[in-house]
Coordinates of all heavy atoms in Angstrom, one line a residue:
Chain J
D21 N 11.1 -41.7 -8.5 CA 12.4 -41.8 -7.8 C 12.4 -41.0 -6.5 O 12.4 -39.7 -6.5 CB 13.5 -41.3 -8.7 CG 14.8 -41.5 -8.1 OD1 15.0 -42.2 -7.1 OD2 15.8 -40.9 -8.7
T22 N 12.4 -41.6 -5.3 CA 12.3 -40.8 -4.1 C 13.5 -39.9 -3.8 O 13.3 -38.9 -3.1 CB 12.1 -41.8 -2.9 OG1 13.1 -42.8 -3.0 CG2 10.7 -42.3 -2.8
A23 N 14.6 -40.3 -4.3 CA 15.8 -39.4 -4.1 C 15.6 -38.0 -4.7 O 16.1 -37.0 -4.1 CB 17.0 -40.1 -4.6
D24 N 14.9 -38.0 -5.8 CA 14.7 -36.7 -6.5 C 13.4 -36.0 -6.1 O 13.1 -34.9 -6.4 CB 14.7 -36.9 -8.0 CG 16.1 -37.3 -8.4 OD1 17.0 -37.0 -7.6 OD2 16.2 -37.8 -9.5
T25 N 12.5 -36.8 -5.5 CA 11.2 -36.2 -5.1 C 11.4 -35.1 -4.0 O 11.9 -35.5 -3.0 CB 10.2 -37.2 -4.6 OG1 10.1 -38.3 -5.6 CG2 8.8 -36.7 -4.4
P26 N 11.0 -33.9 -4.3 CA 11.1 -32.9 -3.2 C 10.3 -33.3 -2.0 O 9.2 -33.9 -2.2 CB 10.6 -31.6 -3.8 CG 10.2 -31.9 -5.1 CD 10.3 -33.3 -5.4
V27 N 10.7 -33.0 -0.8 CA 9.9 -33.3 0.4 C 8.6 -32.4 0.3 O 7.5 -32.9 0.6 CB 10.7 -33.0 1.7 CG1 9.8 -33.1 2.9 CG2 11.8 -34.0 1.8
L28 N 8.8 -31.2 -0.1 CA 7.7 -30.3 -0.2 C 7.7 -29.7 -1.6 O 8.8 -29.3 -2.1 CB 7.8 -29.1 0.8 CG 7.0 -29.2 2.1 CD1 7.3 -27.9 2.9 CD2 5.5 -29.4 1.9
R29 N 6.5 -29.6 -2.2 CA 6.4 -28.9 -3.5 C 5.1 -28.2 -3.6 O 4.1 -28.7 -3.2 CB 6.6 -30.0 -4.6 CG 5.8 -29.6 -5.9 CD 6.2 -30.5 -7.0 NE 7.6 -30.4 -7.4 CZ 8.1 -31.0 -8.5 NH1 7.4 -31.8 -9.2 NH2 9.4 -30.7 -8.8
T30 N 5.2 -27.0 -4.1 CA 3.9 -26.3 -4.4 C 3.9 -25.8 -5.8 O 5.0 -25.6 -6.4 CB 3.7 -25.1 -3.5 OG1 4.5 -24.0 -3.9 CG2 3.9 -25.4 -2.1
R31 N 2.8 -25.8 -6.4 CA 2.6 -25.2 -7.8 C 1.4 -24.3 -7.8 O 0.3 -24.6 -7.4 CB 2.4 -26.3 -8.8 CG 3.7 -27.2 -9.1 CD 4.7 -26.3 -9.8 NE 6.0 -27.0 -10.0 CZ 7.0 -27.0 -9.1 NH1 6.9 -26.3 -8.0 NH2 8.1 -27.7 -9.4
G32 N 1.7 -23.0 -8.3 CA 0.6 -22.1 -8.4 C -0.2 -21.8 -7.2 O -1.4 -21.6 -7.2
L33 N 0.5 -21.8 -6.0 CA -0.2 -21.8 -4.7 C -0.7 -20.4 -4.5 O 0.0 -19.4 -4.5 CB 0.8 -22.2 -3.6 CG 0.1 -22.5 -2.3 CD1 -0.7 -23.8 -2.4 CD2 1.2 -22.7 -1.2
R34 N -2.0 -20.3 -4.2 CA -2.6 -19.0 -3.8 C -3.5 -19.2 -2.6 O -4.1 -20.3 -2.4 CB -3.6 -18.6 -4.9 CG -2.8 -18.1 -6.1 CD -3.7 -17.8 -7.3 NE -2.9 -17.7 -8.5 CZ -2.2 -16.6 -8.8 NH1 -2.4 -15.5 -8.0 NH2 -1.4 -16.5 -9.8
K35 N -3.5 -18.2 -1.8 CA -4.4 -18.2 -0.6 C -4.9 -16.8 -0.5 O -4.2 -15.8 -0.3 CB -3.7 -18.6 0.7 CG -4.6 -18.5 1.9 CD -5.6 -19.6 1.9 CE -6.5 -19.5 3.1 NZ -7.6 -20.6 3.1
Q36 N -6.2 -16.6 -0.6 CA -6.8 -15.3 -0.4 C -7.9 -15.3 0.7 O -8.5 -16.3 0.9 CB -7.3 -14.7 -1.7 CG -8.1 -15.6 -2.5 CD -8.0 -15.2 -4.0 OE1 -6.9 -14.8 -4.5 NE2 -9.1 -15.3 -4.7
Y37 N -8.0 -14.1 1.3 CA -9.0 -14.0 2.3 C -10.0 -12.9 1.9 O -9.6 -12.0 1.2 CB -8.4 -13.5 3.6 CG -7.4 -14.5 4.2 CD1 -6.1 -14.3 4.2 CD2 -7.9 -15.6 4.9 CE1 -5.2 -15.2 4.8 CE2 -7.0 -16.5 5.5 CZ -5.7 -16.3 5.4 OH -4.8 -17.2 6.0
G38 N -11.2 -13.0 2.2 CA -12.3 -12.0 1.9 C -12.5 -12.0 0.4 O -12.1 -12.9 -0.3
K39 N -13.4 -11.0 0.0 CA -13.6 -10.9 -1.4 C -14.0 -9.4 -1.7 O -14.1 -8.6 -0.8 CB -14.8 -11.8 -1.8 CG -16.0 -11.7 -1.0 CD -17.1 -12.5 -1.5 CE -17.2 -14.0 -1.0 NZ -18.4 -14.6 -0.9
G40 N -14.1 -9.1 -3.0 CA -14.4 -7.8 -3.4 C -13.4 -6.8 -2.9 O -12.2 -6.9 -3.1
E41 N -14.0 -5.7 -2.3 CA -13.2 -4.6 -1.8 C -12.1 -5.0 -0.8 O -11.0 -4.4 -0.8 CB -14.1 -3.6 -1.1 CG -15.1 -2.9 -1.9 CD -14.4 -1.7 -2.6 OE1 -14.3 -0.7 -1.8 OE2 -14.1 -1.7 -3.8
V42 N -12.4 -6.0 0.0 CA -11.5 -6.4 1.0 C -10.7 -7.7 0.7 O -10.2 -8.4 1.6 CB -12.2 -6.6 2.4 CG1 -12.7 -5.3 2.9 CG2 -13.4 -7.6 2.3
L43 N -10.6 -8.0 -0.5 CA -9.9 -9.2 -0.9 C -8.4 -9.0 -0.6 O -7.8 -8.0 -0.9 CB -10.0 -9.4 -2.4 CG -9.3 -10.7 -3.0 CD1 -10.0 -11.9 -2.6 CD2 -9.0 -10.6 -4.5
V44 N -7.8 -10.0 0.2 CA -6.4 -10.0 0.5 C -5.7 -11.2 -0.2 O -6.1 -12.3 0.1 CB -6.2 -10.1 2.0 CG1 -4.7 -10.1 2.3 CG2 -6.9 -8.9 2.7
R45 N -4.8 -10.9 -1.0 CA -4.0 -12.0 -1.7 C -2.8 -12.3 -0.8 O -1.7 -11.7 -1.0 CB -3.6 -11.6 -3.1 CG -4.8 -11.5 -4.0 CD -4.3 -11.4 -5.5 NE -5.5 -11.4 -6.3 CZ -6.2 -10.3 -6.6 NH1 -5.8 -9.2 -6.1 NH2 -7.3 -10.4 -7.4
A46 N -3.0 -13.1 0.2 CA -1.9 -13.4 1.2 C -0.8 -14.2 0.5 O 0.4 -13.9 0.8 CB -2.5 -14.1 2.4
V47 N -1.2 -15.2 -0.2 CA -0.2 -15.9 -1.0 C -0.6 -15.9 -2.5 O -1.7 -16.2 -2.8 CB -0.1 -17.4 -0.6 CG1 0.9 -18.2 -1.5 CG2 0.4 -17.5 0.9
A48 N 0.3 -15.3 -3.3 CA -0.2 -15.0 -4.7 C 0.6 -15.7 -5.8 O 1.4 -15.1 -6.5 CB -0.1 -13.5 -4.9
G49 N 0.6 -17.0 -5.8 CA 1.3 -17.7 -6.8 C 2.7 -18.2 -6.5 O 3.6 -17.6 -6.9
V50 N 2.8 -19.1 -5.6 CA 4.1 -19.6 -5.1 C 4.4 -21.0 -5.7 O 3.6 -21.9 -5.5 CB 4.2 -19.6 -3.6 CG1 5.3 -20.4 -3.1 CG2 4.3 -18.1 -3.1
D51 N 5.6 -21.1 -6.3 CA 6.1 -22.4 -6.7 C 7.3 -22.7 -5.9 O 8.3 -21.9 -5.9 CB 6.5 -22.4 -8.2 CG 5.4 -22.2 -9.1 OD1 4.2 -22.5 -8.7 OD2 5.6 -21.7 -10.3
L52 N 7.3 -23.7 -5.1 CA 8.4 -24.0 -4.2 C 8.8 -25.5 -4.3 O 7.9 -26.3 -4.3 CB 8.0 -23.6 -2.8 CG 8.9 -24.0 -1.6 CD1 10.2 -23.2 -1.7 CD2 8.2 -23.8 -0.3
D53 N 10.1 -25.8 -4.3 CA 10.5 -27.1 -4.1 C 11.5 -27.2 -3.0 O 12.5 -26.4 -3.0 CB 11.2 -27.6 -5.4 CG 10.3 -27.9 -6.5 OD1 9.5 -28.9 -6.3 OD2 10.2 -27.2 -7.5
V54 N 11.3 -28.0 -2.0 CA 12.3 -28.1 -0.9 C 12.8 -29.5 -0.9 O 12.0 -30.5 -0.8 CB 11.6 -27.8 0.5 CG1 12.6 -28.0 1.6 CG2 10.9 -26.5 0.5
A55 N 14.1 -29.7 -1.1 CA 14.7 -31.0 -1.2 C 14.9 -31.6 0.2 O 15.0 -30.9 1.2 CB 16.1 -30.9 -1.9
S56 N 15.0 -32.9 0.2 CA 15.2 -33.6 1.5 C 16.5 -33.1 2.1 O 17.6 -33.0 1.4 CB 15.3 -35.1 1.2 OG 15.5 -35.7 2.4
G57 N 16.5 -32.8 3.4 CA 17.7 -32.4 4.1 C 18.1 -30.9 3.9 O 19.1 -30.4 4.4
E58 N 17.2 -30.2 3.2 CA 17.5 -28.8 3.0 C 17.0 -27.9 4.1 O 15.9 -28.2 4.7 CB 16.9 -28.4 1.7 CG 17.5 -27.2 1.0 CD 16.8 -26.8 -0.3 OE1 15.7 -27.3 -0.6 OE2 17.4 -25.9 -1.0
T59 N 17.7 -26.8 4.4 CA 17.1 -25.7 5.3 C 16.8 -24.5 4.5 O 17.7 -23.9 3.9 CB 18.1 -25.4 6.4 OG1 18.4 -26.5 7.2 CG2 17.5 -24.3 7.3
V60 N 15.5 -24.2 4.4 CA 15.1 -23.0 3.6 C 14.6 -21.9 4.5 O 13.8 -22.2 5.4 CB 14.1 -23.4 2.5 CG1 13.6 -22.2 1.8 CG2 14.6 -24.5 1.6
A61 N 15.1 -20.7 4.3 CA 14.5 -19.6 5.1 C 13.7 -18.7 4.2 O 14.2 -18.4 3.1 CB 15.7 -18.8 5.8
V62 N 12.6 -18.3 4.6 CA 11.8 -17.3 3.8 C 11.7 -16.0 4.6 O 11.3 -16.0 5.8 CB 10.3 -17.9 3.6 CG1 9.5 -16.8 2.8 CG2 10.4 -19.2 2.8
M63 N 12.1 -14.9 4.0 CA 12.1 -13.6 4.7 C 11.2 -12.7 4.0 O 11.1 -12.8 2.7 CB 13.5 -13.1 4.8 CG 14.4 -13.7 5.8 SD 15.9 -12.7 6.0 CE 15.3 -11.7 7.3
G64 N 10.7 -11.7 4.6 CA 10.0 -10.7 4.0 C 9.3 -9.8 5.0 O 9.2 -10.1 6.1
P65 N 8.8 -8.6 4.5 CA 8.2 -7.6 5.5 C 7.0 -8.2 6.1 O 6.3 -9.1 5.5 CB 7.9 -6.4 4.6 CG 8.0 -6.9 3.2 CD 8.9 -8.1 3.2
S66 N 6.6 -7.6 7.2 CA 5.4 -8.0 7.9 C 4.2 -7.9 7.0 O 4.0 -7.0 6.2 CB 5.2 -7.0 9.1 OG 4.2 -7.5 9.9
G67 N 3.4 -9.0 7.0 CA 2.2 -9.0 6.2 C 2.4 -9.5 4.7 O 1.4 -9.5 4.0
C68 N 3.6 -9.9 4.4 CA 3.8 -10.4 3.0 C 3.3 -11.8 2.8 O 3.3 -12.3 1.6 CB 5.3 -10.3 2.7 SG 6.3 -11.5 3.4
G69 N 2.8 -12.5 3.8 CA 2.2 -13.8 3.6 C 3.0 -15.0 4.1 O 2.7 -16.1 3.8
K70 N 4.0 -14.7 4.9 CA 4.9 -15.8 5.4 C 4.1 -16.9 6.2 O 4.2 -18.1 5.9 CB 6.1 -15.3 6.2 CG 6.9 -14.3 5.4 CD 8.1 -13.8 6.3 CE 7.7 -13.0 7.5 NZ 7.0 -11.8 7.3
S71 N 3.4 -16.4 7.2 CA 2.7 -17.3 8.1 C 1.6 -18.1 7.3 O 1.5 -19.3 7.5 CB 2.1 -16.6 9.3 OG 3.1 -16.0 10.0
T72 N 0.9 -17.4 6.4 CA -0.1 -18.0 5.6 C 0.5 -19.1 4.8 O 0.0 -20.2 4.7 CB -0.8 -16.9 4.7 OG1 -1.2 -15.9 5.5 CG2 -1.9 -17.6 4.0
L73 N 1.6 -18.8 4.2 CA 2.3 -19.8 3.4 C 2.6 -21.1 4.2 O 2.4 -22.2 3.8 CB 3.6 -19.2 2.8 CG 4.5 -20.2 2.0 CD1 3.8 -20.7 0.7 CD2 5.8 -19.6 1.7

Side-chain angles (χ1 to χ4, degrees):
Chain J
D21 184 16
T22 46
D24 293 340
T25 307
V27 171
L28 262 180
R29 152 170 291 187
T30 73
R31 285 296 176 266
L33 196 67
R34 289 172 192 280
K35 176 74 185 178
Q36 45 206 39
Y37 296 106
K39 53 173 88 148
E41 292 273 288
V42 290
L43 181 77
V44 178
R45 292 191 175 83
V47 176
V50 161
D51 295 335
L52 171 68
D53 285 290
V54 181
S56 180
E58 206 184 5
T59 299
V60 176
V62 179
M63 287 193 89
S66 187
C68 74
K70 302 180 297 295
S71 296
T72 306
L73 173 68

